[in-house]
Amino acid sequence: MCGIVGYVGGKTALPILVEGLKRLEYRGYDSAGVAFVDPGGIRVTKSKGRISVLEHQINCSEGATTGIAHTRWATHGAPNDVNAHPHVDAAGRFALVHNGIIENYAALRTYLSNQGVTFATETDTEVLVQLIAHIYDGDIERTVKRALREVRGTYGIAVIAADEPDTVVAARNGSPLLVGIGDGEYIIASDASAILSHTTHVIYLGDNEVVRVSPDSIRTTTLDDIPVTKDIEEIEWSLDQIELGGHEHFMMKEIFEQPDALRDCMRGRIVPEEGSVHLGGITDVARELTRAKRIIMTACGTAWHAALVGEYLFEDLARIPTEVEYASEFRYRNPIIEDGTVVLAISQSGETADTLAALNEAKERGALALGAVNVVGSSIARSTDAGVFLHVGPEIGVASTKAFSGQVAVLAMLACYVGRRRHMSQGGASEFLTALSRIPEQITTILEQDGACKAVAAANISRENWLYLGRGYQYPVALEGALKLKEISYIHAEGLPAAEMKHGPIALITDQMPVVFLATRGTQYDKIISNIEEVRTRGGRVIAIATEGDQQIERLAEWVINVPDTIESLQPLLTVIPLQLIAYHAALLRGCNVDKPRNLAKSVTVE
Ligand code: M6R
């Protein structure tokens, strides 16, 4: 999704802006641009395509010390040079970058056109910068506020003005923005990764807040000009966590980070021998959560798949009726929230627009609003009543891998936490947590089979359609495996509960169809074996993810990837790993850009 960087301070702005843009590349974009103040006015360079293209068009040694920059992911208007940000007013005195959507831009545009303003683009963003230019009263902060009071929609913006060359004004409503605080400098960004090489001290802007930064001052106020005292917070992530560290792709790095990521996620939170779970973020709501009559988990994409695993976990361990809702559906339904309903939003980025809106809808209706989020300081994390951070470190690859594992691990801890307070015995909890604590080392042994996963991908690389089938806890993993394959390799793949195959999809099975079975030992093992037989009978090519030592599967499947044994409820944490690796290798073998799949953004901050 779109990204913003802004700089004001004593250094040359352009290299800092360009570096910031590169750090935001992972979020997905189709064009980029920079604007800075020089004695002649505002200078802008923007171009369609990669930041490297933009970099060739600018002279990074230009001396300007104030500037703004943007990566655009087109929503309104084609991805081209003209529609790229920053946008400027007709006289070139102001430049603005914008994430979000100005919903009433058509009315504002008509108003300004009637006043004689001419427009260069069709974008909603240009309307805002033209409005600012039209009503400018000599103070850019005051003018931006006046302009924003006329705006309906969502925005994170940064603005510079030729007449106030040492100032950047930024504002937020529904689209994340933070200010990195350096020594005599400030860096505005939509994502912490853009500032990490300069500072770890930040303030997070809230909705309807405006910040004005100059080299020696920072001031935050509301849109109505009421001063706001902001806490300076520390970003926990380090620079090497957002760099490749010798790996070819972030996705591979993050797949291989999973053992350590899960150790970090569980550190200090579980005591297996006591059967106890400690989750500081929910202590204040523990009583309400324990007494919940119903839990609704809401999320999108991979996080929604993790939520499905969570549904099984919560019903098994905590015995609380649990439903999983696509956030995009939940927010527009008329959901029933009664006393005792807890809504849990699950999100890696904490910025997914639908998940945030669903959470807010639930809050409005009186639900206890919880979050399981990775990014500290993100919008969802800040909107919840309480929650549990994933602590799996930054996830840069667009295809979510370690965040899925972190989400499932957090849901497992949470379900055990609640279960233990309701009816789970200490022995039961202890057994569960012991198995959970062994997962990281078990993942390491699966990662050693990377070569076998690559061989599966290579043998089936020319197939255009794949099926993923699982039952019970493995059904969400089937969905996740199919999503991983399609989003990065562009091979069509479908995940299904294995029993559903007979109700239609079995018609697709031929010797051209690879079928991935999640066939680990568990309560539904025999039924999965029957499903494998059904596929074999029709010539389908069976790939099985099975429990180590299972000789029956060896006889039935063309390819077998083994995972270590664990309790059924935790198997998703193991079986998902080979599916991530198969998808990764399939994408590479097809020549796809693994970390930046076409049309996709890392965090979907618009509807
Ligand atoms: O940041 P979130 O977890 O809220 O993101 C939700 C989905 O957009 C995300 O999981 C998406 O499906 C991934 N690209 C899948 O790999």
Side-chain angles (χ1 to χ4, degrees), residues 27 172 174-176 347 349-353 356 377-380 603-605:
R27 295 170 62 94
R172 162 189 168 136
S175 192
S347 174
S349 62
E351 300 296 350
T352 301
L356 179 61
S378 59
S379 304
I380 294 174
S603 104
V604 184
T605 53

Side-chain angles (χ1 to χ4, degrees), residues 98-100 102 148 151 153-157 171-175 208 223:
H98 167 221
N99 291 351
I102 312 279
L148 289 177
V151 161
T154 55
Y155 53 79
I157 60 164
R172 162 189 168 136
N173 182 36
S175 192
N208 297 314
L223 214 48

Side-chain angles (χ1 to χ4, degrees), residues 161-174:
D163 293 345
E164 298 176 63
D166 292 330
T167 300
V168 179
V169 171
R172 162 189 168 136
N173 182 36

